[in-house]
């Protein structure tokens, strides 16, 4: 299993690990995350406005956020160091691995589609970033914890397999041949049952997808 996950990660730039959060725990974790996001929604939106004012394109219409949700609920904490995730991380980075972010993201029905970008430290709209062209090396991992099932209908994250090998991303606007707001020919939805975790190279091109269902899609990144 570990070798298959690594092979997929190397080839596509991501893999999905299922059953990280047990089926009998996922409902409680999701409810707690949704509750604290709701309680702090106003403060979170104010922070997002400040970030957007600095040019970073985050905070799509119809998407709720909460930075560092672990400061408000520790329901997710027992699962963060799942051995399968750590095996992959330590294979890439050695034993010096740390978690830098635990943010809540809720895509409500009808949310706006996002733009093609890579995550920190490669997103060129971040104040701190690696200047393109990038070396072909994994420097950082991005994870998406599926607190509800991810499907094509409810806006499972859009990704472009293999794009992590590109020396640039469309986020900085320096790739005129790529419309960063348009569908891409090889895009796909990342899907998985609730409790799964997407693990991706942070260079991977991905985008917020529109939730076409009638229920929120809840995740932690």
């Amino acid at each position: 299993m570990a070798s298959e996950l690594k092979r997929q990660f190397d080839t596509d730039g991501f893999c999905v690990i299922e059953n990280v959060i047990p089926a009998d725990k996922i409902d409680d974790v999701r409810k707690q995350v949704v509750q604290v996001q709701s309680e702090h929604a106003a403060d979170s939106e104010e922070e997002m406005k400040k970030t957007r004012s600095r040019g970073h394109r985050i905070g799509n219409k119809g998407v709720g956020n909460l930075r560092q949700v672990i400061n408000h609920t520790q329901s997710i904490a027992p699962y963060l160091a799942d051995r399968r995730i750590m095996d992959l991380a330590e294979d890439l980075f050695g034993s010096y691995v740390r978690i830098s972010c635990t943010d809540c993201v809720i895509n409500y029905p009808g949310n706006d589609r996002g733009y093609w970008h890579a995550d920190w430290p490669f997103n060129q709209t971040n104040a701190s970033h690696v200047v393109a062209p990038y070396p072909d090396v994994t420097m950082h991992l991005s994870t998406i914890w599926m607190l509800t099932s991810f499907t094509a209908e409810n806006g499972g994250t859009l990704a472009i397999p293999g794009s992590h090998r590109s020396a640039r991303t469309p986020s900085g606007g320096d790739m005129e041949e790529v419309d960063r707001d348009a569908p891409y020919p090889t895009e796909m939805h990342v899907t998985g049952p609730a409790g799964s975790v997407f693990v991706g190279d942070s260079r991977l091109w991905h985008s917020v997808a529109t939730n076409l269902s009638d229920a929120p899609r809840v995740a932690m990144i």
Side-chain angles (χ1 to χ4, degrees), residues 83-110:
R83 192 64 253 169
R84 291 165 294 173
I85 298 174
M86 294 302 295
D87 283 346
L88 182 57
E90 290 175 356
D91 185 67
L92 292 162
F93 302 133
S95 59
Y96 299 99
V97 175
R98 71 184 293 252
I99 297 167
S100 59
C101 168
T102 56
D103 294 353
C104 165
V105 179
I106 302 177
N107 288 16
Y108 293 99

Side-chain angles (χ1 to χ4, degrees), residues 181-195:
D181 294 298
Y184 195 83
T186 59
E187 70 180 41
M188 61 169 287
H189 288 275
V190 175
T191 61

